[in-house]
């Protein structure tokens, strides 16, 4: 163990890790000495996670029906899971173009499955995203829902649970350059002691963290240089591909777009905790509640690429998309649980990212009528390659709980009949910023977050709720990663139908088909409902455009044949397995 981490910390170093001058002096008094570098850095990592104690996690539905909605940032969940009714795993991994990340993906899934099995977790979905900015650090957040006894209070994580988790110990080892195998955790009176080869390298007083508030000095935040570079992105510098059919085929095979069925199958293959059978073909995961006509809905979002490009817009987009998913499934948003995974707390850029993420979380949660009932902040997350540590880009995971008032009124995204009309709701914008198309196909990693207008998004949600309630549509699908073409293909696959559409002549075809601007939903309309649908939309303030109609199985864009749905479906379902298994 190096002497550096045992050195006494300065006040300046403590301020970088979320201390104030006052709290640094209080910790010095509690320890009877000046805290060490290791104690300051570990505090900066775990202290923010205790923010969850400020949030009850409680969601009240009336009639003595209450739920607890929580996020856990650790692989080994120490909460009692006996009363869990649903769980979604948020899995964030490095890009699969690197071989080491393929083996890491397999190992992470196996570990996660073991932990879920130990806790008997009722998994209803896995939300997965691959991002080069995460390097080789897997980020696992679990979002869970409990049915509460009307008299029972919720119980947040405490310091002892956080510090003893496997993920925290691994992070401490990485943070301080120690060997994980040599680290031990020991409870001594009212302190937690950390030992390396039986030598104490950190002492953390339990009372200190419960009595003192973690603080971020906003004045220490600094806008990173790349943020301005992203703003200067010009779509005209990107050459539009000549063969858009080839591009569509390419994108269907990308890990962030292709079916995640292979990942879910790993839980079945390992015979541990297979995702439960729930309603298929809905944008949100749905779980029936016993002895009730209602169902709960869960959606987890957080595109780390968007959030790095613009922390405020990226986070607001994550909340908007979660709300969109729940409404597209026939429900209404209830509450948010969030885990903010962030990089080096000592970095002014990380502080700036955190400030903007928090601002977006506050603003968007109020706008979309979904209060934050639980929040965990996890700083000092690093990936490591060849002994070099690199702070991760911000990767918040946003979970949203929703309610479906009548479980037999679920809205699904699958096309129902040949001849049904296809409309897109929302604003058409020439935008390819931070899209899978721009990143994976063109290799451009510096661009702004996708276009997003919070007020227009809110209007879209209200209109969509009315369309579902009045049975004016028979399918609804969020248009997000991969853009309009991918969303259309996902709607066509379940019943092996197709589509024949026309793009907007005023927008570049690649942007129209593969751009990921916010505030858009695709809907299916039966010809019998067409007049009532159009009349309703004409009286709304939301843009709507007739794209085309559902076909027997042929995919047609602007009179050009893009293949058949059976071919696209096979490619979409097999791509991830072929990448990982070779």
């Amino acid at each position: 163990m190096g002497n550096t981490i045992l050195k006494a910390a300065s006040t300046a170093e403590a301020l970088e890790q979320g201390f104030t001058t006052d709290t640094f002096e209080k910790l010095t008094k509690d320890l009877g000495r000046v805290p060490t570098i290791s104690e300051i850095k570990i505090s900066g990592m775990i202290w923010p996670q205790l923010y969850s104690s400020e949030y009850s996690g409680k969601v009240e539905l009336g009639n003595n029906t209450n739920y607890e909605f929580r996020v856990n940032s650790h692989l080994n969940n120490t909460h009692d899971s006996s009363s869990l009714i649903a769980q979604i795993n948020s899995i964030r991994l490095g890009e699969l173009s690197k071989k080491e990340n393929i083996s890491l993906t397999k190992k992470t899934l196996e570990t996660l499955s073991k932990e879920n099995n130990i806790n008997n977790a009722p998994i209803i979905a896995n939300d997965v995203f691959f991002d080069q900015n995460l390097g080789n650090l897997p980020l696992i957040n679990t979002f869970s829902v409990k049915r509460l006894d009307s008299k029972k209070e919720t119980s947040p994580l405490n310091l002892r649970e956080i510090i003893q988790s496997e993920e925290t110990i691994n992070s401490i080892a990485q943070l301080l350059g120690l060997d994980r195998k040599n680290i031990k955790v020991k409870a001594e009176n009212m302190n937690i002691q950390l030992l390396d080869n039986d030598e104490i390298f950190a002492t953390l007083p339990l009372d200190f963290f419960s009595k003192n508030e973690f603080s971020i000095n906003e004045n220490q935040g600094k806008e990173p240089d790349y943020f301005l570079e992203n703003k200067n992105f010009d779509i005209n510098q990107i050459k539009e591909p000549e063969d858009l059919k080839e591009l569509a085929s390419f994108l269907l095979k990308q890990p962030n777009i292709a079916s995640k069925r292979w990942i879910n199958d790993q839980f079945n293959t390992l015979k541990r905790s297979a995702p439960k059978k729930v309603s298929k073909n809905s944008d949100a995961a749905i779980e029936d509640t016993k002895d009730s006509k209602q169902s709960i809905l869960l959606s987890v979002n957080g595109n780390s690429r968007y959030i790095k490009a613009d922390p405020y817009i990226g986070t607001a987009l994550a909340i908007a998309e979660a709300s969109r998913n729940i409404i597209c499934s026939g429900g209404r948003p209830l509450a948010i649980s969030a885990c903010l995974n962030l990089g080096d707390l000592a970095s002014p850029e990380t502080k700036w990212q955190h400030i903007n993420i928090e601002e977006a979380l506050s603003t968007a949660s109020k706008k979309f009528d979904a209060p934050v009932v639980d929040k965990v902040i996890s700083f000092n997350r690093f990936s490591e390659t060849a002994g070099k540590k690199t702070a991760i880009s911000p990767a918040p995971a946003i979970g949203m709980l929703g309610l479906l008032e009548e479980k037999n009124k679920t809205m699904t995204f699958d096309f129902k009949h040949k001849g049904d009309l296809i409309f897109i709701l929302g604003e058409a914008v020439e935008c390819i910023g931070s899209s899978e198309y721009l990143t994976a196909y063109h290799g451009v990693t510096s661009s702004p977050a996708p276009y997003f207008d919070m007020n227009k998004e809110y209007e879209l949600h209200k209109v969509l709720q009315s369309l579902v309630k009045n049975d004016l549509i028979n399918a609804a699908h969020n248009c997000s990663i991969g853009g309009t073409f991918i969303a259309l293909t996902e709607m066509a696959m379940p019943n092996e139908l197709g589509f024949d559409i026309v793009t907007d002549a005023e927008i570049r075809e690649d942007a129209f088909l593969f751009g990921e601007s916010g505030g858009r939903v695709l809907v299916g309309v039966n010809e019998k409902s067409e007049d009532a649908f159009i009349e309703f939309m004409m009286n709304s303030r939301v843009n709507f455009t007739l794209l085309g109609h559902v076909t027997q199985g042929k995919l047609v864009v602007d009179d050009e044949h893009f293949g058949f749905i059976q071919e696209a479906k096979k490619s979409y379902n097999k791509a991830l397995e072929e990448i990982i298994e070779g």
Side-chain angles (χ1 to χ4, degrees), residues 541-560:
R541 293 184 291 181
V542 172
N543 291 339
F544 70 107
T545 304
L546 174 64
L547 290 184
H549 64 275
V550 178
T551 68
Q552 191 63 46
K554 195 174 182 179
L555 312 181
V556 180
V557 178
D558 293 334
D559 294 326
E560 183 178 349

Side-chain angles (χ1 to χ4, degrees), residues 107-394:
K107 182 180 178 181
T108 300
L109 291 173
E110 184 172 358
T111 303
L112 178 60
S113 182
K114 280 181 180 179
E115 296 294 343
N116 290 159
N117 189 53
I118 290 170
N119 292 314
N120 196 27
I123 306 169
I124 62 173
N126 292 304
D127 182 74
V128 185
F129 192 79
F130 300 93
D131 185 0
Q132 65 176 2
N133 293 312
L134 293 179
N136 61 359
L137 176 70
L139 290 174
I140 309 297
N141 300 137
T142 58
F143 292 83
S144 57
V145 182
K146 285 183 183 180
R147 180 87 179 250
L148 288 178
D149 182 283
S150 59
K151 298 179 181 179
K152 184 177 179 180
E153 293 298 321
T154 59
S155 53
L157 277 173
N158 60 45
L159 177 63
R160 194 186 301 269
E161 291 173 331
I162 291 173
I163 202 75
Q164 290 178 336
S165 78
E166 185 66 24
E167 188 183 27
T168 298
I169 296 172
N170 286 337
S171 297
I172 289 172
Q174 189 179 58
L175 181 68
L176 302 179
L178 301 176
D179 188 336
R180 160 66 188 93
K181 297 191 295 291
N182 297 330
I183 296 179
K184 296 178 182 177
V185 181
K186 180 180 176 183
E188 185 71 22
N189 297 323
M190 290 301 292
N191 295 328
I192 293 288
Q193 293 181 337
L194 291 160
L195 298 87
D196 178 49
N197 282 322
D198 296 324
E199 182 182 353
I200 297 171
F201 65 88
T203 299
L204 304 172
L206 293 172
D207 280 353
F208 171 80
F209 294 96
S210 62
K211 292 178 180 178
N212 294 286
E213 186 176 343
F214 174 80
S215 174
I216 292 288
N217 186 341
E218 296 188 11
N219 295 326
Q220 293 179 342
K222 178 181 178 294
E223 181 183 292
D225 294 338
Y226 75 77
F227 185 67
L228 182 59
E229 293 173 13
N230 290 346
K231 295 289 186 183
N232 292 330
F233 172 80
D234 182 1
I235 190 174
N236 295 313
Q237 295 176 350
I238 304 299
K239 184 179 179 181
E240 187 170 3
E242 294 181 4
D243 188 347
L244 293 181
K245 178 183 175 182
E246 183 274 333
L247 171 58
S249 178
F250 170 83
L251 287 176
L252 278 170
K253 299 174 185 177
Q254 294 308 298
N256 283 331
I257 290 175
S259 169
K260 306 305 182 292
R261 185 177 66 177
W262 181 88
I263 289 178
N264 289 337
D265 285 349
Q266 300 315 295
F267 290 85
N268 291 324
T269 302
L270 296 169
K271 295 182 180 179
R272 289 176 181 138
S273 51
K276 296 179 68 179
K277 300 294 183 184
V278 294
S279 298
K280 293 183 178 180
N281 308 328
S282 59
D283 279 1
I286 302 174
E287 175 70 9
D288 286 346
T289 54
K290 294 179 180 179
D291 305 320
S292 172
K293 66 177 184 178
Q294 301 173 329
S295 294
I296 60 168
L297 300 94
L298 282 171
S299 179
V300 173
N301 297 86
N303 186 315
S304 51
R305 189 184 300 142
Y306 297 173
I307 296 169
K308 179 186 178 183
D310 188 317
Y312 182 87
I313 290 179
T315 302
L317 263 170
I319 294 168
E321 185 174 349
S323 177
R324 215 182 303 145
N325 286 339
I326 284 171
I327 294 170
C328 280
S329 303
R332 62 180 174 89
L334 291 178
I336 289 171
S337 178
C339 185
L340 311 186
N341 301 296
L342 296 154
D344 185 2
L345 179 54
S347 164
E349 292 184 1
T350 299
K351 290 184 172 69
W352 176 84
Q353 291 163 345
H354 174 246
I355 291 163
N356 280 273
I357 289 167
E358 290 279 16
E359 184 180 348
L361 187 59
S362 174
T363 303
S365 63
K366 292 172 184 173
K367 186 70 174 180
F368 298 111
D369 302 317
V372 178
V373 298
D374 183 41
K375 182 173 69 175
V376 173
I377 307 174
S378 185
F379 281 107
N380 288 339
R381 309 306 298 267
F382 295 87
S383 65
E384 186 171 347
T385 305
K388 182 182 178 181
K389 291 193 305 182
T390 304
I392 67 164
S393 296

Side-chain angles (χ1 to χ4, degrees), residues 283 324 328 423-426 457 460-461 464 473 475-479 491 518-523:
D283 279 1
R324 215 182 303 145
C328 280
F423 288 84
I424 187 165
L425 312 183
E457 178 89 43
L460 170 67
H461 293 196
L464 187 58
I473 58 176
H477 194 21
N478 170 31
C479 188
M491 296 175 83
R520 297 176 301 150
V521 169
L522 290 162
V523 298

Side-chain angles (χ1 to χ4, degrees), residues 64-82:
N64 290 323
T65 303
N66 301 319
Y67 292 100
E68 181 186 67
F69 184 34
R70 288 284 192 195
V71 61
N72 185 3
S73 64
H74 310 292
L75 271 176
N76 59 332
N77 190 340
T78 53
H79 282 305
D80 171 28
S81 58
S82 59

